[in-house]
mmCIF file of all heavy atoms in Angstrom:
data_model
loop_
_atom_site.group_PDB
_atom_site.id
_atom_site.type_symbol
_atom_site.label_atom_id
_atom_site.label_comp_id
_atom_site.label_asym_id
_atom_site.label_seq_id
_atom_site.Cartn_x
_atom_site.Cartn_y
_atom_site.Cartn_z
ATOM 1 N N ASP V 22 13.269 -6.280 26.251
ATOM 2 C CA ASP V 22 14.721 -6.124 26.346
ATOM 3 C C ASP V 22 15.285 -5.525 25.061
ATOM 4 O O ASP V 22 16.157 -4.646 25.093
ATOM 5 C CB ASP V 22 15.385 -7.475 26.621
ATOM 6 C CG ASP V 22 15.125 -7.985 28.030
ATOM 7 O OD1 ASP V 22 14.717 -7.172 28.890
ATOM 8 O OD2 ASP V 22 15.318 -9.199 28.264
ATOM 9 N N ALA V 23 14.786 -5.994 23.923
ATOM 10 C CA ALA V 23 15.268 -5.491 22.635
ATOM 11 C C ALA V 23 14.904 -4.028 22.444
ATOM 12 O O ALA V 23 15.701 -3.225 21.942
ATOM 13 C CB ALA V 23 14.696 -6.335 21.492
ATOM 14 N N ARG V 24 13.703 -3.653 22.870
ATOM 15 C CA ARG V 24 13.270 -2.243 22.726
ATOM 16 C C ARG V 24 14.102 -1.327 23.613
ATOM 17 O O ARG V 24 14.436 -0.208 23.219
ATOM 18 C CB ARG V 24 11.791 -2.120 23.089
ATOM 19 C CG ARG V 24 10.841 -2.825 22.128
ATOM 20 C CD ARG V 24 9.386 -2.501 22.463
ATOM 21 N NE ARG V 24 8.466 -3.334 21.699
ATOM 22 C CZ ARG V 24 7.829 -4.391 22.186
ATOM 23 N NH1 ARG V 24 8.019 -4.745 23.472
ATOM 24 N NH2 ARG V 24 7.027 -5.098 21.430
ATOM 25 N N ARG V 25 14.408 -1.790 24.823
ATOM 26 C CA ARG V 25 15.219 -0.966 25.722
ATOM 27 C C ARG V 25 16.628 -0.767 25.161
ATOM 28 O O ARG V 25 17.204 0.314 25.261
ATOM 29 C CB ARG V 25 15.300 -1.618 27.103
ATOM 30 C CG ARG V 25 14.076 -1.366 27.974
ATOM 31 C CD ARG V 25 14.391 -1.645 29.447
ATOM 32 N NE ARG V 25 14.766 -3.034 29.650
ATOM 33 C CZ ARG V 25 13.916 -3.993 30.007
ATOM 34 N NH1 ARG V 25 12.633 -3.703 30.170
ATOM 35 N NH2 ARG V 25 14.340 -5.234 30.174
ATOM 36 N N ALA V 26 17.186 -1.828 24.582
ATOM 37 C CA ALA V 26 18.543 -1.742 24.040
ATOM 38 C C ALA V 26 18.597 -0.955 22.740
ATOM 39 O O ALA V 26 19.631 -0.359 22.413
ATOM 40 C CB ALA V 26 19.108 -3.144 23.822
ATOM 41 N N HIS V 27 17.486 -0.938 22.007
ATOM 42 C CA HIS V 27 17.449 -0.249 20.707
ATOM 43 C C HIS V 27 16.165 0.574 20.606
ATOM 44 O O HIS V 27 15.210 0.156 19.955
ATOM 45 C CB HIS V 27 17.517 -1.270 19.569
ATOM 46 C CG HIS V 27 18.764 -2.098 19.587
ATOM 47 N ND1 HIS V 27 19.924 -1.701 18.958
ATOM 48 C CD2 HIS V 27 19.038 -3.289 20.181
ATOM 49 C CE1 HIS V 27 20.858 -2.624 19.143
ATOM 50 N NE2 HIS V 27 20.351 -3.595 19.891
ATOM 51 N N PRO V 28 16.145 1.722 21.233
ATOM 52 C CA PRO V 28 14.956 2.573 21.189
ATOM 53 C C PRO V 28 14.565 2.878 19.740
ATOM 54 O O PRO V 28 15.409 3.151 18.894
ATOM 55 C CB PRO V 28 15.407 3.846 21.920
ATOM 56 C CG PRO V 28 16.515 3.385 22.808
ATOM 57 C CD PRO V 28 17.232 2.320 22.044
ATOM 58 N N GLY V 29 13.297 2.786 19.476
ATOM 59 C CA GLY V 29 12.824 3.041 18.125
ATOM 60 C C GLY V 29 12.647 1.782 17.294
ATOM 61 O O GLY V 29 11.997 1.812 16.245
ATOM 62 N N LEU V 30 13.227 0.670 17.736
ATOM 63 C CA LEU V 30 13.060 -0.584 17.013
ATOM 64 C C LEU V 30 11.648 -1.121 17.225
ATOM 65 O O LEU V 30 11.201 -1.286 18.359
ATOM 66 C CB LEU V 30 14.083 -1.609 17.490
ATOM 67 C CG LEU V 30 14.001 -3.007 16.857
ATOM 68 C CD1 LEU V 30 14.270 -2.944 15.358
ATOM 69 C CD2 LEU V 30 15.000 -3.963 17.537
ATOM 70 N N ASP V 31 10.956 -1.379 16.147
ATOM 71 C CA ASP V 31 9.603 -1.937 16.213
ATOM 72 C C ASP V 31 9.712 -3.446 16.390
ATOM 73 O O ASP V 31 10.195 -4.158 15.497
ATOM 74 C CB ASP V 31 8.850 -1.608 14.923
ATOM 75 C CG ASP V 31 7.453 -2.225 14.887
ATOM 76 O OD1 ASP V 31 6.930 -2.597 15.956
ATOM 77 O OD2 ASP V 31 6.887 -2.338 13.774
ATOM 78 N N VAL V 32 9.302 -3.943 17.562
ATOM 79 C CA VAL V 32 9.398 -5.373 17.857
ATOM 80 C C VAL V 32 7.996 -5.937 18.075
ATOM 81 O O VAL V 32 7.232 -5.423 18.888
ATOM 82 C CB VAL V 32 10.256 -5.638 19.114
ATOM 83 C CG1 VAL V 32 10.431 -7.145 19.316
ATOM 84 C CG2 VAL V 32 11.607 -4.956 19.002
ATOM 85 N N GLN V 33 7.677 -6.983 17.342
ATOM 86 C CA GLN V 33 6.395 -7.658 17.483
ATOM 87 C C GLN V 33 6.636 -9.114 17.859
ATOM 88 O O GLN V 33 7.649 -9.698 17.480
ATOM 89 C CB GLN V 33 5.603 -7.572 16.174
ATOM 90 C CG GLN V 33 5.337 -6.149 15.708
ATOM 91 C CD GLN V 33 4.551 -6.097 14.416
ATOM 92 O OE1 GLN V 33 3.726 -6.967 14.138
ATOM 93 N NE2 GLN V 33 4.792 -5.062 13.617
ATOM 94 N N THR V 34 5.699 -9.687 18.609
ATOM 95 C CA THR V 34 5.846 -11.082 19.022
ATOM 96 C C THR V 34 4.603 -11.875 18.622
ATOM 97 O O THR V 34 3.486 -11.356 18.644
ATOM 98 C CB THR V 34 6.033 -11.200 20.545
ATOM 99 O OG1 THR V 34 4.866 -10.699 21.215
ATOM 100 C CG2 THR V 34 7.252 -10.410 20.994
ATOM 101 N N THR V 35 4.830 -13.131 18.262
ATOM 102 C CA THR V 35 3.731 -14.003 17.865
ATOM 103 C C THR V 35 4.040 -15.428 18.291
ATOM 104 O O THR V 35 5.159 -15.913 18.093
ATOM 105 C CB THR V 35 3.523 -13.985 16.334
ATOM 106 O OG1 THR V 35 3.287 -12.643 15.894
ATOM 107 C CG2 THR V 35 2.330 -14.849 15.940
ATOM 108 N N VAL V 36 3.058 -16.086 18.888
ATOM 109 C CA VAL V 36 3.166 -17.499 19.229
ATOM 110 C C VAL V 36 2.433 -18.291 18.151
ATOM 111 O O VAL V 36 1.240 -18.067 17.902
ATOM 112 C CB VAL V 36 2.567 -17.798 20.615
ATOM 113 C CG1 VAL V 36 2.666 -19.296 20.918
ATOM 114 C CG2 VAL V 36 3.282 -16.986 21.695
ATOM 115 N N LEU V 37 3.149 -19.185 17.499
ATOM 116 C CA LEU V 37 2.589 -19.976 16.416
ATOM 117 C C LEU V 37 2.254 -21.378 16.886
ATOM 118 O O LEU V 37 2.801 -21.863 17.876
ATOM 119 C CB LEU V 37 3.599 -20.063 15.261
ATOM 120 C CG LEU V 37 4.155 -18.737 14.726
ATOM 121 C CD1 LEU V 37 5.265 -19.012 13.712
ATOM 122 C CD2 LEU V 37 3.043 -17.901 14.102
ATOM 123 N N GLY V 38 1.385 -22.029 16.169
ATOM 124 C CA GLY V 38 1.036 -23.411 16.464
ATOM 125 C C GLY V 38 1.346 -24.286 15.263
ATOM 126 O O GLY V 38 1.590 -23.802 14.159
ATOM 127 N N GLY V 39 1.336 -25.593 15.474
ATOM 128 C CA GLY V 39 1.582 -26.517 14.386
ATOM 129 C C GLY V 39 3.023 -26.950 14.313
ATOM 130 O O GLY V 39 3.816 -26.717 15.227
ATOM 131 N N GLY V 40 3.383 -27.580 13.210
ATOM 132 C CA GLY V 40 4.760 -28.001 13.007
ATOM 133 C C GLY V 40 5.672 -26.799 12.903
ATOM 134 O O GLY V 40 5.375 -25.843 12.190
ATOM 135 N N ALA V 41 6.794 -26.845 13.615
ATOM 136 C CA ALA V 41 7.625 -25.655 13.762
ATOM 137 C C ALA V 41 8.134 -25.114 12.435
ATOM 138 O O ALA V 41 8.014 -23.923 12.142
ATOM 139 C CB ALA V 41 8.798 -25.964 14.687
ATOM 140 N N GLY V 42 8.750 -25.965 11.601
ATOM 141 C CA GLY V 42 9.315 -25.485 10.349
ATOM 142 C C GLY V 42 8.279 -24.897 9.427
ATOM 143 O O GLY V 42 8.453 -23.799 8.879
ATOM 144 N N ALA V 43 7.183 -25.607 9.245
ATOM 145 C CA ALA V 43 6.122 -25.131 8.365
ATOM 146 C C ALA V 43 5.494 -23.852 8.900
ATOM 147 O O ALA V 43 5.152 -22.940 8.137
ATOM 148 C CB ALA V 43 5.054 -26.218 8.198
ATOM 149 N N ALA V 44 5.344 -23.768 10.229
ATOM 150 C CA ALA V 44 4.710 -22.587 10.837
ATOM 151 C C ALA V 44 5.564 -21.341 10.637
ATOM 152 O O ALA V 44 5.049 -20.265 10.303
ATOM 153 C CB ALA V 44 4.471 -22.834 12.324
ATOM 154 N N VAL V 45 6.876 -21.456 10.834
ATOM 155 C CA VAL V 45 7.754 -20.298 10.659
ATOM 156 C C VAL V 45 7.772 -19.849 9.200
ATOM 157 O O VAL V 45 7.681 -18.652 8.902
ATOM 158 C CB VAL V 45 9.184 -20.628 11.137
ATOM 159 C CG1 VAL V 45 10.147 -19.488 10.787
ATOM 160 C CG2 VAL V 45 9.195 -20.877 12.637
ATOM 161 N N ALA V 46 7.871 -20.796 8.282
ATOM 162 C CA ALA V 46 7.893 -20.451 6.860
ATOM 163 C C ALA V 46 6.580 -19.795 6.434
ATOM 164 O O ALA V 46 6.580 -18.803 5.691
ATOM 165 C CB ALA V 46 8.168 -21.693 6.024
ATOM 166 N N ALA V 47 5.461 -20.330 6.906
ATOM 167 C CA ALA V 47 4.167 -19.763 6.541
ATOM 168 C C ALA V 47 3.998 -18.356 7.108
ATOM 169 O O ALA V 47 3.433 -17.462 6.449
ATOM 170 C CB ALA V 47 3.043 -20.671 7.042
ATOM 171 N N TYR V 48 4.485 -18.140 8.324
ATOM 172 C CA TYR V 48 4.408 -16.812 8.924
ATOM 173 C C TYR V 48 5.210 -15.817 8.099
ATOM 174 O O TYR V 48 4.779 -14.678 7.873
ATOM 175 C CB TYR V 48 4.936 -16.853 10.354
ATOM 176 C CG TYR V 48 4.873 -15.512 11.064
ATOM 177 C CD1 TYR V 48 3.704 -15.106 11.693
ATOM 178 C CD2 TYR V 48 5.982 -14.666 11.079
ATOM 179 C CE1 TYR V 48 3.639 -13.873 12.333
ATOM 180 C CE2 TYR V 48 5.917 -13.439 11.718
ATOM 181 C CZ TYR V 48 4.749 -13.047 12.336
ATOM 182 O OH TYR V 48 4.681 -11.816 12.958
ATOM 183 N N ALA V 49 6.379 -16.234 7.628
ATOM 184 C CA ALA V 49 7.208 -15.355 6.807
ATOM 185 C C ALA V 49 6.489 -14.956 5.525
ATOM 186 O O ALA V 49 6.619 -13.820 5.057
ATOM 187 C CB ALA V 49 8.532 -16.041 6.481
ATOM 188 N N VAL V 50 5.732 -15.879 4.964
ATOM 189 C CA VAL V 50 4.928 -15.554 3.779
ATOM 190 C C VAL V 50 3.886 -14.503 4.120
ATOM 191 O O VAL V 50 3.702 -13.510 3.393
ATOM 192 C CB VAL V 50 4.245 -16.822 3.217
ATOM 193 C CG1 VAL V 50 3.269 -16.449 2.107
ATOM 194 C CG2 VAL V 50 5.275 -17.814 2.699
ATOM 195 N N ASP V 51 3.193 -14.696 5.233
ATOM 196 C CA ASP V 51 2.100 -13.798 5.617
ATOM 197 C C ASP V 51 2.573 -12.369 5.847
ATOM 198 O O ASP V 51 1.867 -11.412 5.500
ATOM 199 C CB ASP V 51 1.414 -14.318 6.892
ATOM 200 C CG ASP V 51 0.621 -15.596 6.644
ATOM 201 O OD1 ASP V 51 0.331 -15.904 5.473
ATOM 202 O OD2 ASP V 51 0.317 -16.295 7.629
ATOM 203 N N VAL V 52 3.754 -12.197 6.438
ATOM 204 C CA VAL V 52 4.222 -10.844 6.776
ATOM 205 C C VAL V 52 5.171 -10.279 5.720
ATOM 206 O O VAL V 52 5.708 -9.197 5.882
ATOM 207 C CB VAL V 52 4.910 -10.825 8.160
ATOM 208 C CG1 VAL V 52 3.941 -11.274 9.242
ATOM 209 C CG2 VAL V 52 6.185 -11.662 8.171
ATOM 210 N N ARG V 53 5.391 -11.031 4.630
ATOM 211 C CA ARG V 53 6.292 -10.599 3.549
ATOM 212 C C ARG V 53 7.695 -10.316 4.102
ATOM 213 O O ARG V 53 8.286 -9.261 3.886
ATOM 214 C CB ARG V 53 5.736 -9.370 2.827
ATOM 215 C CG ARG V 53 4.376 -9.606 2.204
ATOM 216 C CD ARG V 53 3.808 -8.359 1.526
ATOM 217 N NE ARG V 53 4.594 -7.986 0.356
ATOM 218 C CZ ARG V 53 5.274 -6.849 0.254
ATOM 219 N NH1 ARG V 53 5.270 -5.979 1.259
ATOM 220 N NH2 ARG V 53 5.948 -6.561 -0.843
ATOM 221 N N ALA V 54 8.218 -11.290 4.809
ATOM 222 C CA ALA V 54 9.515 -11.135 5.473
ATOM 223 C C ALA V 54 10.643 -10.930 4.463
ATOM 224 O O ALA V 54 10.602 -11.458 3.342
ATOM 225 C CB ALA V 54 9.814 -12.369 6.326
ATOM 226 N N GLY V 55 11.646 -10.160 4.879
ATOM 227 C CA GLY V 55 12.834 -9.968 4.068
ATOM 228 C C GLY V 55 13.959 -10.888 4.475
ATOM 229 O O GLY V 55 14.909 -11.101 3.720
ATOM 230 N N LEU V 56 13.873 -11.459 5.687
ATOM 231 C CA LEU V 56 14.897 -12.362 6.182
ATOM 232 C C LEU V 56 14.342 -13.140 7.362
ATOM 233 O O LEU V 56 13.644 -12.585 8.205
ATOM 234 C CB LEU V 56 16.147 -11.584 6.629
ATOM 235 C CG LEU V 56 17.318 -12.405 7.182
ATOM 236 C CD1 LEU V 56 17.985 -13.215 6.064
ATOM 237 C CD2 LEU V 56 18.353 -11.493 7.857
ATOM 238 N N ILE V 57 14.655 -14.437 7.403
ATOM 239 C CA ILE V 57 14.382 -15.268 8.573
ATOM 240 C C ILE V 57 15.717 -15.593 9.223
ATOM 241 O O ILE V 57 16.667 -15.989 8.546
ATOM 242 C CB ILE V 57 13.672 -16.580 8.193
ATOM 243 C CG1 ILE V 57 12.324 -16.298 7.525
ATOM 244 C CG2 ILE V 57 13.479 -17.459 9.432
ATOM 245 C CD1 ILE V 57 11.664 -17.549 6.961
ATOM 246 N N VAL V 58 15.803 -15.421 10.540
ATOM 247 C CA VAL V 58 17.018 -15.750 11.280
ATOM 248 C C VAL V 58 16.667 -16.824 12.299
ATOM 249 O O VAL V 58 15.669 -16.692 13.032
ATOM 250 C CB VAL V 58 17.602 -14.512 11.999
ATOM 251 C CG1 VAL V 58 18.920 -14.868 12.672
ATOM 252 C CG2 VAL V 58 17.788 -13.354 11.022
ATOM 253 N N MET V 59 17.464 -17.868 12.369
ATOM 254 C CA MET V 59 17.171 -18.936 13.313
ATOM 255 C C MET V 59 18.444 -19.702 13.663
ATOM 256 O O MET V 59 19.449 -19.638 12.946
ATOM 257 C CB MET V 59 16.125 -19.893 12.745
ATOM 258 C CG MET V 59 16.554 -20.631 11.491
ATOM 259 S SD MET V 59 15.179 -21.532 10.719
ATOM 260 C CE MET V 59 14.573 -22.479 12.103
ATOM 261 N N GLY V 60 18.392 -20.403 14.791
ATOM 262 C CA GLY V 60 19.498 -21.250 15.186
ATOM 263 C C GLY V 60 19.468 -22.547 14.403
ATOM 264 O O GLY V 60 18.412 -22.984 13.939
ATOM 265 N N SER V 61 20.636 -23.164 14.245
ATOM 266 C CA SER V 61 20.682 -24.434 13.520
ATOM 267 C C SER V 61 20.053 -25.557 14.335
ATOM 268 O O SER V 61 19.483 -26.492 13.793
ATOM 269 C CB SER V 61 22.124 -24.794 13.167
ATOM 270 O OG SER V 61 22.909 -24.928 14.334
ATOM 271 N N ARG V 62 20.167 -25.432 15.663
ATOM 272 C CA ARG V 62 19.551 -26.410 16.562
ATOM 273 C C ARG V 62 19.108 -25.705 17.831
ATOM 274 O O ARG V 62 19.687 -24.708 18.229
ATOM 275 C CB ARG V 62 20.516 -27.546 16.927
ATOM 276 C CG ARG V 62 20.822 -28.462 15.764
ATOM 277 C CD ARG V 62 21.684 -29.629 16.170
ATOM 278 N NE ARG V 62 21.909 -30.516 15.038
ATOM 279 C CZ ARG V 62 21.101 -31.505 14.690
ATOM 280 N NH1 ARG V 62 20.011 -31.738 15.392
ATOM 281 N NH2 ARG V 62 21.378 -32.270 13.653
ATOM 282 N N GLY V 63 18.098 -26.244 18.478
ATOM 283 C CA GLY V 63 17.611 -25.674 19.719
ATOM 284 C C GLY V 63 17.379 -26.771 20.726
ATOM 285 O O GLY V 63 18.096 -27.753 20.764
ATOM 286 N N HIS V 64 16.358 -26.622 21.539
ATOM 287 C CA HIS V 64 16.036 -27.676 22.492
ATOM 288 C C HIS V 64 14.528 -27.777 22.628
ATOM 289 O O HIS V 64 13.780 -26.989 22.093
ATOM 290 C CB HIS V 64 16.686 -27.425 23.854
ATOM 291 C CG HIS V 64 16.312 -26.109 24.489
ATOM 292 N ND1 HIS V 64 15.025 -25.753 24.773
ATOM 293 C CD2 HIS V 64 17.093 -25.075 24.898
ATOM 294 C CE1 HIS V 64 15.007 -24.566 25.344
ATOM 295 N NE2 HIS V 64 16.246 -24.123 25.420
ATOM 296 N N GLY V 65 14.092 -28.757 23.346
ATOM 297 C CA GLY V 65 12.668 -28.978 23.488
ATOM 298 C C GLY V 65 12.084 -28.410 24.760
ATOM 299 O O GLY V 65 10.920 -28.598 25.053
ATOM 300 N N GLY V 66 12.893 -27.702 25.542
ATOM 301 C CA GLY V 66 12.424 -27.270 26.842
ATOM 302 C C GLY V 66 11.323 -26.240 26.789
ATOM 303 O O GLY V 66 10.329 -26.344 27.488
ATOM 304 N N LEU V 67 11.479 -25.198 25.955
ATOM 305 C CA LEU V 67 10.488 -24.127 25.943
ATOM 306 C C LEU V 67 9.411 -24.388 24.910
ATOM 307 O O LEU V 67 8.240 -24.447 25.218
ATOM 308 C CB LEU V 67 11.174 -22.792 25.664
ATOM 309 C CG LEU V 67 10.255 -21.577 25.553
ATOM 310 C CD1 LEU V 67 9.495 -21.377 26.866
ATOM 311 C CD2 LEU V 67 11.059 -20.327 25.225
ATOM 312 N N THR V 68 9.828 -24.567 23.660
ATOM 313 C CA THR V 68 8.813 -24.733 22.622
ATOM 314 C C THR V 68 9.075 -25.918 21.719
ATOM 315 O O THR V 68 8.303 -26.181 20.820
ATOM 316 C CB THR V 68 8.739 -23.474 21.730
ATOM 317 O OG1 THR V 68 10.018 -23.304 21.099
ATOM 318 C CG2 THR V 68 8.409 -22.255 22.521
#
């Protein structure tokens, strides 16, 4: 959906395991992220 709305945008997806907060932070280290964006709260239904 993101690629269709913004042609040329490079979008990659990854499913992480482990504790959510630690996993996201560690992934950001691995890919040398410039910004992490996230919701303040979510739900337990999907992940």
Side-chain angles (χ1 to χ4, degrees):
D22 289 343
R24 293 187 189 102
R25 279 198 298 266
H27 300 272
L30 178 63
D31 177 19
V32 185
Q33 302 180 31
T34 62
T35 303
V36 179
L37 307 173
V45 173
Y48 181 84
V50 172
D51 290 343
V52 300
R53 301 178 67 244
L56 180 70
I57 299 172
V58 184
M59 63 190 307
S61 60
R62 291 184 178 273
H64 58 58
L67 177 61
T68 61

